[in-house]
Amino acid sequence: MIQLHEVSKIYEMGNDRVYALDHASMEVKEGEFVSIVGPSGSGKSTMMNIIGCLDTADEGSYMLDGISIEHYSETELAGIRNRKIGFIFQNFNLLPRLTAEENVELPLIYQKLPVKERRQRVAEAMQQVELSHRKGHRPAELSGGQQQRVAIARALVTRPSLFLADEPTGNLDSKTGREILQLFHSLHQAGNTIVLITHDHQVAEEAERKIYIRDGKVSREAKE
């Protein structure tokens, strides 16, 4: 599903060239649950941005579902992000004025789906994260764990081929974090592909395979 080959992201700092990613190569197969783990500044966020089509590489190639994304326009990349990738962020990224239900529905509005289908998909996603009873509440009325469940439902509702989670337990206490990780296991058991990006080795252990990154280089891959 994901194939990065010799991917580099380079920033010019005066006369210096700084490699946020340095000829990084990795693969993720369909249906895998993989963690990308590394310390702060290792290149994890840059890797996530490229995998998620939020940014493009300066060198190397990236294939997503067998399609090279290098020459896509920004409009085409936006379409890939909206249909193929379900994003789950550390800070939830919910709109405060909208209810949980409305936050989940938003990507379907962008897809211009009919109202009846939108409502059905939202109801299914809210039920899947066990939050139907809180659908009318705004983010400020929800706990951190509940907000993250809403964010997961928002990712689920587009039926993406890939879930991309950036430090999804970073703002949660340990008990709530375990509950969210269990939800990821349920998604994986249902056949979904998950890439989880984290600095926390204990969280990374939840995945079936770990990819290590340091100083912009994929240093080793470990299959457990």
Side-chain angles (χ1 to χ4, degrees), residues 18-212:
V18 177
Y19 280 77
L21 282 180
D22 189 358
H23 299 88
S25 297
M26 58 167 274
E27 290 188 359
V28 177
K29 295 186 174 116
E30 186 174 355
E32 273 198 292
F33 183 1
V34 173
S35 62
I36 298 175
V37 58
S40 177
S42 61
K44 298 190 307 299
S45 294
T46 304
M47 179 80 84
M48 187 209 77
N49 288 340
I50 289 173
I51 292 172
C53 299
L54 296 166
D55 200 357
T56 54
D58 295 316
E59 297 175 355
S61 63
Y62 172 32
M63 304 273 286
L64 176 63
D65 280 343
I67 299 169
S68 175
I69 62 98
E70 276 84 39
H71 305 298
Y72 274 39
S73 69
E74 181 51 46
T75 301
E76 290 168 326
L77 289 174
I80 290 173
R81 289 194 297 268
N82 193 246
R83 288 175 170 81
K84 282 184 176 286
I85 303 169
F87 292 95
I88 301 158
F89 296 101
Q90 177 177 352
N91 294 323
F92 320 133
N93 287 9
L94 302 177
L95 296 180
R97 292 181 180 274
L98 300 185
T99 65
E101 189 175 42
E102 290 166 341
N103 268 285
V104 173
E105 185 183 18
L106 205 54
L108 301 181
I109 294 173
Y110 293 143
Q111 288 187 2
K112 299 181 179 177
L113 291 185
V115 173
K116 184 177 179 181
E117 184 176 354
R118 291 203 313 257
R119 287 177 179 167
Q120 181 180 344
R121 283 207 199 183
V122 170
E124 289 172 358
M126 293 295 285
Q127 184 175 10
Q128 200 165 344
V129 299
E130 300 179 354
L131 216 57
S132 299
H133 62 295
R134 304 286 280 176
K135 65 184 181 181
H137 291 73
R138 289 182 172 80
E141 300 168 317
L142 302 172
S143 69
Q146 288 171 335
Q147 289 184 63
Q148 191 61 289
R149 285 176 182 271
V150 173
I152 292 170
R154 182 183 56 194
L156 273 168
V157 80
T158 60
R159 299 174 182 168
S161 55
L162 169 66
F163 287 94
L164 190 55
D166 183 22
E167 302 281 7
T169 62
N171 281 341
L172 305 175
D173 61 65
S174 58
K175 177 179 179 295
T176 307
R178 284 193 299 272
E179 292 172 355
I180 294 300
L181 289 170
Q182 188 53 52
L183 187 51
F184 279 115
H185 283 296
S186 298
L187 291 173
H188 178 231
Q189 288 162 9
N192 293 293
T193 307
I194 300 171
V195 175
L196 189 158
I197 294 158
T198 183
H199 71 282
D200 188 327
H201 285 265
Q202 190 172 352
V203 171
E205 288 290 338
E206 297 289 331
E208 61 183 358
R209 182 163 66 92
K210 299 182 290 296
I211 296 172
Y212 296 88

